[in-house]
Amino acid sequence: MLQMALSAFFFAVMAVFARFAGARLPAQEVVLARAVISTALSFVMLRRAGAPFRGNRPKMLVLRGLTGFLSLSCYFWTVIHLPFAEAVLLAQTAPIFTALIAWKALGERPGPRFAPAAAMVLVGVVLVASPSPADFQGAQLGWVLVGLLGAVAAGSAYTEVRALSRSEHPLTIVLWFQMTMIFLSLPGTFVSGAVLPRGADWLWLAGVGLFGQAGQVFLTEGLRRTPAGRASLANPLVILFGAAIGWLLFHENLDWGDLLGAALLVFGLIFSGSAPRNAVPRSSAS
């Protein structure tokens, strides 16, 4: 679970950079920038690792790219158009969908500890995010649905990564994901009206690409080692890290709900992560 926790941290930092970048740039342009930077980094990392560029299951790799692109696009849209905490909260419903899809597609039963651990994690998510009911009404309802669609897509993507890890190198999976995103985000970038980055925009885009790449590498490695449903329970740490970043950088206050929610998040993850290894089928790559 350490890799998943590191992934959550880097994705939290990426979300901050994406929010700054999205203040002036279209969301699809931010997705494209991340894909271009991460593709370049993936090529370098693959070469140094001596890993293959061509995968053994190209159709599945492209499918993972499609679902990952949909998930990331929905996430960036909601981060830009919804309050940060609410957008991240919606994205963190993904573990529920991951567990269900992995159970159906891979035969990875969540195990007896998953339900109570998931309940603790979800309660912790709500306490840390502290969403207002008004945030999920009116004009913002459409963006809420977009966020939930992204969570479903993320659940599918995590399951596909878990399946691919049985035959592909983690860096190969990451490379194909980023290359697929380039082709899919190009049309959306121009349709939404591409904006030439200037000044601090370049810094924000670089941060999205660099921290997104780090998060993706740790995510892929974590899913290779841990069943998808259980591994994805670490995702809500993004909210915990986001709250800490907000407190440190933006002087946002942390109340008792934040502290209690953080405790539930950590305890839920420890409780799930300490389950016996033989409680869930393991892949040949484990």
Side-chain angles (χ1 to χ4, degrees), residues 2-269:
L2 175 61
Q3 290 89 351
M4 297 301 294
L6 289 171
S7 172
F9 171 74
F10 287 121
F11 280 142
V13 179
M14 179 199 72
V16 174
F17 278 89
R19 179 146 186 137
F20 285 139
R24 208 178 73 85
L25 306 176
Q28 283 295 288
E29 188 171 344
V30 180
V31 173
L32 176 61
R34 177 195 154 163
V36 171
I37 295 172
S38 295
T39 296
L41 292 173
S42 296
F43 269 115
V44 173
M45 295 173 71
L46 270 170
R47 192 164 186 176
R48 289 184 176 180
F53 290 90
R54 296 183 61 182
N56 299 310
R57 304 170 66 187
K59 291 183 179 179
M60 178 65 79
L61 286 165
V62 171
L63 177 61
R64 186 272 178 273
L66 286 170
T67 54
F69 164 75
L70 178 59
S71 172
L72 187 65
S73 295
C74 291
Y75 185 46
F76 281 0
W77 279 324
T78 53
V79 163
I80 292 170
H81 291 93
L82 287 176
F84 186 81
E86 282 73 18
V88 177
L89 169 63
L90 290 169
Q92 302 324 311
T93 60
I96 299 173
F97 302 112
T98 303
L100 295 176
I101 295 172
W103 186 1
K104 183 69 174 180
L106 304 179
E108 293 183 348
R109 291 180 176 273
R113 293 193 179 189
F114 178 80
M120 283 186 283
V121 167
L122 287 175
V123 172
V125 165
V126 173
L127 287 173
V128 174
S130 303
S132 168
D135 292 331
F136 297 97
Q137 298 175 3
Q140 291 185 326
L141 180 59
W143 292 116
V144 170
L145 297 177
V146 169
L148 290 174
L149 174 62
V152 175
S156 178
Y158 294 152
T159 304
E160 289 147 12
V161 169
R162 175 67 175 165
L164 284 166
S165 67
R166 299 172 180 177
S167 61
E168 311 290 348
H169 192 282
L171 291 176
T172 305
I173 300 174
V174 173
L175 174 65
W176 277 69
F177 168 42
Q178 309 301 341
M179 290 193 302
T180 303
M181 280 211 302
I182 290 177
F183 289 105
L184 293 176
S185 59
L186 270 171
T189 297
F190 291 105
V191 169
S192 59
V195 177
L196 181 65
R198 66 182 185 219
D201 294 337
W202 295 106
L203 175 62
W204 309 141
L205 293 176
V208 169
L210 292 173
F211 288 104
Q213 173 73 357
Q216 200 65 53
V217 170
F218 281 113
L219 169 71
T220 304
E221 181 63 22
L223 286 169
R224 184 180 74 84
R225 296 171 177 269
T226 309
R230 195 169 70 190
S232 64
L233 279 174
N235 290 1
L237 281 173
V238 174
I239 292 181
L240 176 57
F241 291 134
I245 291 171
W247 178 63
L248 290 171
L249 296 182
F250 308 117
H251 307 291
E252 296 175 354
N253 293 326
L254 296 177
D255 57 21
W256 67 268
D258 296 318
L259 299 177
L260 178 58
L264 285 172
L265 279 167
V266 172
F267 185 78
L269 293 170

